[in-house]
């Protein structure tokens, strides 16, 4: 670079890291050189991750974490700025508003590099549980990613996964806790007491066509789709074999059977409850 007669400062920009030599020659041809001690170039490589919740106790709506490759640079020489704001030593930013943003990573030698990222709109994950039909618990979940997975903690302390199902049946009374996890890893839970109602078995029926107890069969059994039962007369003859939802009309081979006591054997045939019920009831005509 040729300077003017009065120029005393010369700038050289865009130089790489490492030492450089400056050569100077005046108008008389006098020559000299200087070895300029430069630090090595700083290479900053980083990733930006948005975590919409960290754990069940975290009240923040999101956490933005900048991870700088520490094999390329000493992290003690790095600080961070969000959207051109004040620099901070921490690589974590919380409750960043939805939209497009950038984080500037700065080295102590004034080298800077910018990383762009986007924060999605996020509604906090919430869950509630309530009674559905008989012995059924219904789950209502809002917020989060919308992709939910549920786990139920039973009164005895054991846990069951019900996947994405938003309802389940209970088999005992007690406190039930439902925990939901969304695809972001966010977690919420709700606990409530639910009372179990066992199957209902009447001890008589009157098949007289008046619309009252005209048929006989177990009720309160919605959660037992594989339920079956047999009915026997006083001589041990099986007079009916029925399934859940079916009722006996007091007939055998199309003929009305007389007033008297009849016996039943009910099988729940359920993986959660495989009980059998044996007893008798009265047919009145």
């Amino acid at each position: 670079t040729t300077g003017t007669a009065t120029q005393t400062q010369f700038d050289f920009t865009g130089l790489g890291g490492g030492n450089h030599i400056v050569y100077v020659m005046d108008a008389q041809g006098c020559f000299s050189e200087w070895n300029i001690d430069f630090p090595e170039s700083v290479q900053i490589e980083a990733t930006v991750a948005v975590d919409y919740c960290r754990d069940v106790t975290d009240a923040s709506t999101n956490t933005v974490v900048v991870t700088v490759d520490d094999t390329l640079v000493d992290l003690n020489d790095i600080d961070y700025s969000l959207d051109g704001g004040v620099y901070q030593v921490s690589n974590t930013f919380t409750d960043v508003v939805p939209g497009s943003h950038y984080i500037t990573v700065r080295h102590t030698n004034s080298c800077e590099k910018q990383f762009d990222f986007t924060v999605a709109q996020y509604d906090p994950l919430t869950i509630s549980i309530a009674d559905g039909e008989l012995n059924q618990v219904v789950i209502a979940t809002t917020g989060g990613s919308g992709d939910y997975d549920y786990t139920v903690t039973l009164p005895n302390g054991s846990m069951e996964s019900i996947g994405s199902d938003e309802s389940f049946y209970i088999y005992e009374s007690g406190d039930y806790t439902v925990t939901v996890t969304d695809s972001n890893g966010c977690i919420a839970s709700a606990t409530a007491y639910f009372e179990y109602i066992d199957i209902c078995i009447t001890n008589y029926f009157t098949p007289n066509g008046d619309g009252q107890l005209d048929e006989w069969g177990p009720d309160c059994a919605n959660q037992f789709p594989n339920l079956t039962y047999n009915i026997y007369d006083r001589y041990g003859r099986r007079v009916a074999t029925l399934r859940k939802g079916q009722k006996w009309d007091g007939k055998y081979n199309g003929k009305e059977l007389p007033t008297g006591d009849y016996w039943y054997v009910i099988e729940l045939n359920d993986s959660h409850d495989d009980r059998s019920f044996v007893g008798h009831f009265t047919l009145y005509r």
Side-chain angles (χ1 to χ4, degrees):
T1 299
T2 302
T4 63
T6 59
Q7 185 174 351
T8 59
Q9 178 175 316
F10 295 80
D11 296 329
F12 299 90
T13 61
L15 302 177
N19 293 342
H20 295 269
I21 299 176
V22 176
Y23 301 91
V24 180
M25 184 174 62
D26 66 11
Q28 303 300 318
C30 297
F31 178 85
S32 64
E33 64 181 64
W34 287 275
N35 187 64
I36 309 300
D37 225 2
F38 266 35
E40 290 297 325
S41 295
V42 172
Q43 185 176 355
I44 300 175
E45 296 297 336
T47 58
V48 179
V50 182
D51 185 2
Y52 292 93
C53 53
R54 286 171 288 176
D55 56 55
V56 72
T57 61
D58 184 13
S60 63
T61 58
N62 60 62
T63 304
V64 180
V65 179
V66 190
T67 303
V68 175
D69 187 345
D70 60 2
T71 65
L72 302 175
V73 64
D74 186 349
L75 298 185
N76 293 320
D77 296 330
I78 297 293
D79 56 7
Y80 310 86
S81 168
L82 174 64
D83 296 333
V86 176
Y87 279 89
Q88 64 181 46
V89 174
S90 172
N91 67 330
T92 300
F93 299 86
T94 60
D95 293 327
V96 179
V97 298
S100 298
H101 301 273
Y102 67 91
I103 286 178
T104 303
V105 181
R106 183 179 65 178
H107 191 270
T108 52
N109 71 353
S110 299
C111 179
E112 297 179 354
K113 192 168 183 180
Q114 181 175 306
F115 299 89
D116 299 325
F117 67 98
T118 301
V119 174
Q121 177 63 45
Y122 173 83
D123 294 321
L125 184 64
T126 63
I127 183 174
S128 62
I129 52 178
D131 284 308
E133 60 183 44
L134 185 68
N135 294 328
Q136 184 188 49
V137 177
V138 176
I139 307 167
T141 308
T142 61
S145 69
D147 185 8
Y148 307 132
D149 185 79
Y150 298 101
T151 300
V152 179
T153 302
L154 306 178
N156 62 11
S158 63
M159 299 177 65
E160 290 185 3
S161 173
I162 60 172
S164 59
D165 293 342
E166 295 186 326
S167 66
F168 62 94
Y169 286 102
I170 66 171
Y171 295 86
E172 61 179 314
S173 299
D175 288 331
Y176 287 79
T177 298
V178 180
T179 301
V180 58
T181 304
D182 71 6
S183 57
N184 290 325
C186 301
I187 298 173
S189 63
T191 300
Y193 178 86
F194 295 93
E195 183 176 358
Y196 174 71
I197 305 298
D198 213 342
I199 66 169
C200 309
I201 303 174
T202 57
N203 57 13
Y204 75 97
F205 79 121
T206 57
N208 54 15
D210 66 353
Q212 301 291 325
L213 295 174
D214 286 329
E215 298 177 316
W216 187 93
D219 290 312
C220 312
N222 287 344
Q223 69 201 87
F224 301 111
N226 299 316
L227 180 148
T228 60
Y229 64 101
N230 294 312
I231 299 175
Y232 303 87
D233 65 13
R234 58 190 289 184
Y235 305 105
R237 178 181 59 176
R238 185 171 62 188
V239 297
T241 297
L242 300 167
R243 304 184 63 84
K244 172 187 174 291
Q246 297 177 329
K247 296 293 182 71
W248 186 45
D249 59 3
K251 297 179 181 179
Y252 177 64
N253 289 336
K255 296 182 179 180
E256 293 183 349
L257 293 180
T259 294
D261 287 343
Y262 293 82
W263 279 256
Y264 61 81
V265 177
I266 302 171
E267 303 281 350
L268 297 183
N269 299 317
D270 189 89
S271 60
H272 292 89
D273 190 344
D274 60 355
R275 288 178 297 161
S276 299
F277 298 84
V278 178
H280 63 89
F281 62 95
T282 303
L283 185 162
Y284 290 107
R285 290 197 183 278

